Amino acid sequence: MSEESFDAIIVGAGLAGSVAAYVLAKEGADVLVIERGNYAGSKNMTGGRLYSHSLERIIPGFAKEAPIERKVTKEKVTFLTDDTGVTLDYHNGREQTAIEESYTLLRGDFDQWLMGKAEEVGAQFISGIRVDEILVQDGKVIGVKADGDELTAKSVILAEGVNPVLGEQLGMVKRVKSDAMAVGAKELIELPEQVIRDRFNLNDDEGCAWLFAGSPANGLMGGGFIYTNKSSVSLGIVCGLHDIGSSNKTVPQMLEDFKNHTMIKPLIEGGKLIEYSGHVVPEAGIHMVPKLVDDGVLITGDAAGFCLNIGYTVRGMDLAIASGEAAAKAVLAAREKNDFSAQGLSSYQTLLEDSFIMKDLNLYKELPKFMENPRIFNQYPKMVADIMQSMFTVDGSPSQPIRKTLMKHCKEVGYMNLIKDGFKGVTSI
């Protein structure tokens, strides 16, 4: 048993873990971060987009020094069928405050920078080490066992990511069911900066966040995404894990078909594949949030199920950052009272409830169930594409009133389905 006892041992050097380490170390706490990967961010495959508000409040002006890629000024959402695409396109040319901005980034670079900030203020960091076991004495977490060594701490923060093995060992996290998860596959495709600007109609360091519903996930729950980086694009698909068994396509085949879609292929033509990765993603929102606090331990980030997919935006990073900060503040409060029991750490739950995290998760609590509706990813993309084709095709036949065109294609889905789905969709957001 190590003679040194830390104020906190943090398992995982993702955004939640690194932020927790930064906040704790900045206040003089003795902190150790243990990361299984070879460096912070080495295992992360996020697309990815960071809404800056939560980190901006912790490290004001971080974007001036952090390795961000592009500031997102273009938002696109596309209904995709096998041979058509209908896109909602928004360009934001307005001035934004720092907390309103969002950026594309590559987590391998960004997470190393953030962990470096934590080390600058005194956090200790070791990588390439796996935590095998949580040490428990008289019902209280007292440290971890890693690489054969036992390290003691007054508190342990589990920021281990979407596969919360240690949380399950403690009985705080139930084994995740397939309908609460999605599987994602992503490619990083290298392209010249000017090519990216031209193809996505961007100026200077502007960036584009583009989401796709319909054919990317083979008509199943899920979709595709493209995020523009400085000299690459992050392209991928996500599909509900419980749907994979019923699909006539594998996930790699879905990704390949997405890349070769007539709408997508010209955007990546001539690009060089420099990275391929796959991972599971939490999708059930508030319904998969586990027990978050116990004697000597807190759970944060993806391990806590803090992720939001509301169709037109996908969020996880800002929730991870804010939850890491809340965990750190709870440990600091416990440190002042020298009470690291569940009661002593209970301010973590209060901080989460008072923050946007639990408020947003509760606001969209019905959305995961609504997203299980197959019509959203199958019939509606086809309906929208058929309406647009009818409106823009001129072949010499007598024109029909627009209302008749709309009614014809809506009838194919069913008026009652439209009414029911519209009501459920509106009430879920």
Side-chain angles (χ1 to χ4, degrees), residues 79 81 83-86 378-393 405-406 408-410 412-413:
F79 287 105
T81 69
D83 50 11
T84 65
V86 179
N378 199 322
Q379 290 176 271
Y380 288 125
K382 182 179 183 301
M383 182 191 77
V384 173
D386 289 348
I387 289 172
M388 300 303 284
Q389 183 179 26
S390 296
M391 291 175 60
F392 290 107
T393 298
T405 299
L406 294 174
K408 172 189 173 184
H409 294 297
C410 289
E412 294 172 359
V413 174

Side-chain angles (χ1 to χ4, degrees), residues 11-127:
V11 182
L15 296 180
S18 294
V19 164
Y22 176 84
V23 174
L24 283 165
K26 195 174 181 183
E27 293 300 318
D30 195 7
V31 185
L32 173 66
V33 182
I34 304 175
E35 166 58 37
R36 180 162 57 98
N38 292 328
Y39 55 87
S42 64
K43 300 187 283 79
N44 200 292
M45 64 149 288
T46 303
R49 179 183 188 176
L50 170 67
Y51 293 92
S52 66
H53 64 99
S54 51
L55 188 56
E56 179 65 26
R57 291 186 171 97
I58 299 167
I59 308 177
F62 78 91
K64 294 182 177 65
E65 60 171 299
I68 58 173
E69 294 294 311
R70 292 179 180 270
K71 176 185 170 182
V72 176
T73 58
K74 283 188 177 293
E75 311 272 0
K76 293 174 180 279
V77 179
T78 295
F79 287 105
L80 211 63
T81 69
D82 289 339
D83 50 11
T84 65
V86 179
T87 300
L88 174 66
D89 190 334
Y90 170 66
H91 175 250
N92 184 9
R94 297 175 179 175
E95 286 290 328
Q96 292 180 294
T97 63
I99 62 170
E100 294 174 322
E101 294 175 339
S102 65
Y103 304 96
T104 60
L105 49 82
L106 299 173
R107 289 288 299 275
D109 296 332
F110 191 85
D111 287 20
Q112 287 185 78
W113 170 83
L114 188 55
M115 190 66 249
K117 297 295 289 185
E119 289 182 282
E120 285 177 12
V121 293
Q124 298 179 57
F125 174 58
I126 54 175
S127 60

Side-chain angles (χ1 to χ4, degrees), residues 188-416:
L188 193 63
I189 300 171
E190 187 177 61
L191 288 166
E193 289 188 40
Q194 190 58 50
V195 170
I196 292 173
R197 293 192 194 104
D198 292 343
R199 292 182 181 178
F200 291 88
N201 193 26
L202 303 171
N203 295 313
D204 302 322
D205 291 328
E206 287 184 338
C208 176
W210 198 341
L211 301 180
F212 301 81
S215 65
N218 199 28
L220 303 173
M221 188 187 80
F225 61 83
I226 296 177
Y227 296 104
T228 57
N229 307 311
K230 286 181 181 176
S231 57
S232 66
V233 296
S234 298
L235 177 150
I237 61 109
V238 177
C239 183
L241 192 58
H242 61 295
D243 284 332
I244 297 298
S246 62
S247 174
N248 61 0
K249 291 183 182 179
T250 63
V251 172
Q253 187 60 55
M254 291 180 197
L255 181 58
E256 198 62 29
D257 290 347
F258 180 47
K259 287 169 55 183
N260 285 290
H261 192 281
T262 54
M263 191 172 182
I264 307 302
K265 191 173 182 178
L267 297 173
I268 59 173
E269 187 176 4
K272 177 184 177 184
L273 176 62
I274 56 176
E275 179 181 293
Y276 184 96
S277 55
H279 212 278
V280 288
V281 184
E283 286 279 305
I286 193 76
H287 303 291
M288 67 182 299
V289 174
K291 182 178 181 180
L292 298 171
V293 185
D294 208 341
D295 290 337
V297 62
L298 310 94
I299 302 179
T300 190
D302 276 1
F306 294 151
C307 191
L308 269 174
N309 179 356
I310 56 177
Y312 58 90
T313 61
V314 180
R315 295 167 53 194
M317 294 192 219
D318 61 322
L319 280 74
I321 289 166
S323 65
E325 179 189 25
K329 287 182 175 179
V331 170
L332 290 171
R335 182 169 171 252
E336 284 186 13
K337 298 176 291 186
N338 195 29
D339 179 6
F340 293 87
S341 66
Q343 180 61 39
L345 293 167
S346 63
S347 62
Y348 178 49
Q349 188 76 49
T350 303
L351 288 164
L352 291 174
E353 296 289 348
D354 291 341
S355 76
F356 71 91
I357 297 175
M358 299 305 285
K359 289 177 181 178
D360 284 2
L361 286 172
N362 277 300
L363 175 63
Y364 298 113
K365 64 182 179 181
E366 300 300 328
L367 192 57
K369 186 176 180 180
F370 173 71
M371 297 290 275
E372 293 176 3
N373 184 345
R375 286 189 290 273
I376 298 172
F377 307 99
N378 199 322
Q379 290 176 271
Y380 288 125
K382 182 179 183 301
M383 182 191 77
V384 173
D386 289 348
I387 289 172
M388 300 303 284
Q389 183 179 26
S390 296
M391 291 175 60
F392 290 107
T393 298
V394 177
D395 61 3
S397 302
S399 298
Q400 295 288 322
I402 294 294
R403 60 180 172 79
K404 285 191 175 182
T405 299
L406 294 174
M407 291 175 66
K408 172 189 173 184
H409 294 297
C410 289
K411 188 176 180 180
E412 294 172 359
V413 174
Y415 295 129
M416 285 305 298

